Amino acid sequence: MKKSTPKRSYQQKARAESAAETRRRIIDVTRDLLTRAPLESVSLPAIAAEAEVARSTVYAIFGSREGLMVAVAEDLLERGGFARIGQALRGPDVVRAFEISIDVAMELYSQEHEVSWALLSLAAVDRDASSAAARLNFGRREGMRKLAQRMHDQGVLRDDVTVDEAADVLWLITSFETFGQLYMSRSLTPKQVGDRLMAITRRTLYRNQ
């Protein structure tokens, strides 16, 4: 059995780096096109032309336009460091953990608001964008249900608020859409948005607030 030659290994590495670079360029172009006209559907021909690749290349890498849109959403979450929100929520004191997670979320949401808002705006009329929007929200409902249960277990919730009701409120408060309405439509700073969301949480859910 022949061993791989250094030349072959180099060629394989070069091909992998080229493929990764092409994938990155297509995603960046899609992000840019989405934010240029957030309420307009972005076509694969336009994306391919802007990225200077063949449409077949886009299909080969992402499988479909839907696959590309989902990849943009996943890139947004990774690039923005959204795992930090989940890390903050794992703090032992549920009230403090939620406050920290909101601070982190406001920072990250503001950094990526143009792309996320474009995907969410298109989701109502564009099936591919709706899949991307679903990816942005993947796991959040279950996460808010667990957070509400922790609030209940630590005696944080008011007696007249059920875990399910609290989970629904938390789901609304932590959404991209809610952030966008306050950040863009009301022209608030990320900190001001976070302060208002925490005020809603305290007055709606917490006992003795």
Side-chain angles (χ1 to χ4, degrees), residues 24 34 98 101 152 172 190:
R24 170 83 271 154
L34 283 168
F98 186 60
S101 77
H152 170 76
L172 178 64

Side-chain angles (χ1 to χ4, degrees), residues 3-202:
K3 294 182 179 179
S4 296
T5 64
K7 181 178 180 180
R8 182 179 300 172
S9 297
Y10 173 80
Q11 290 173 337
Q12 291 172 341
K13 180 180 179 182
R15 281 196 295 269
E17 289 176 348
S18 177
E21 181 182 341
T22 299
R23 186 180 193 278
R24 170 83 271 154
R25 186 167 71 254
I26 293 169
I27 288 176
D28 286 345
V29 162
T30 305
R31 285 172 56 99
D32 183 54
L33 289 174
L34 283 168
T35 56
R36 282 190 218 168
L39 294 180
E40 294 182 11
S41 180
V42 179
S43 69
L44 274 185
I47 293 168
E50 190 84 7
E52 298 182 341
V53 298
R55 270 184 284 178
S56 59
T57 300
V58 180
Y59 282 113
I61 295 174
F62 300 100
S64 63
R65 181 174 177 274
E66 180 182 18
L68 171 57
M69 291 295 179
V70 171
V72 169
E74 291 175 343
D75 175 75
L76 182 156
L77 295 172
E78 182 178 354
R79 184 185 303 210
F82 280 78
R84 290 170 53 199
I85 299 174
Q87 293 169 358
L89 285 171
R90 288 193 284 272
D93 182 321
V94 70
V95 171
R96 181 60 183 148
F98 186 60
E99 289 176 350
I100 294 173
S101 77
I102 286 293
D103 287 341
V104 173
M106 297 304 97
E107 173 193 344
L108 302 182
Y109 283 12
S110 64
Q111 291 173 0
E112 294 290 346
H113 78 277
E114 289 185 343
V115 178
S116 61
W117 192 253
L119 289 172
L120 292 168
S121 298
L122 277 176
V125 295
D126 187 314
R127 184 179 65 83
D128 296 339
S130 69
S131 295
R135 180 63 188 89
L136 290 179
N137 284 311
F138 180 76
R140 190 165 61 83
R141 184 175 295 280
E142 180 183 355
M144 292 305 100
R145 181 64 171 72
K146 291 179 179 178
L147 180 64
Q149 186 63 57
R150 286 183 62 203
M151 288 180 173
H152 170 76
D153 294 344
Q154 293 188 21
V156 173
L157 294 182
R158 288 169 27 191
D159 292 336
D160 60 342
V161 176
T162 68
V163 170
D164 286 340
E165 289 170 339
D168 288 341
V169 171
L170 293 170
W171 164 263
L172 178 64
I173 285 172
T174 59
S175 70
F176 279 101
E177 293 91 335
T178 298
F179 172 81
Q181 288 290 342
L182 294 171
Y183 182 62
M184 294 191 292
S185 301
R186 296 287 296 153
S187 299
L188 301 179
T189 67
K191 184 181 185 308
Q192 288 173 325
V193 176
D195 289 345
R196 279 164 172 70
L197 296 179
M198 283 309 308
I200 294 170
T201 303
R202 295 187 189 101

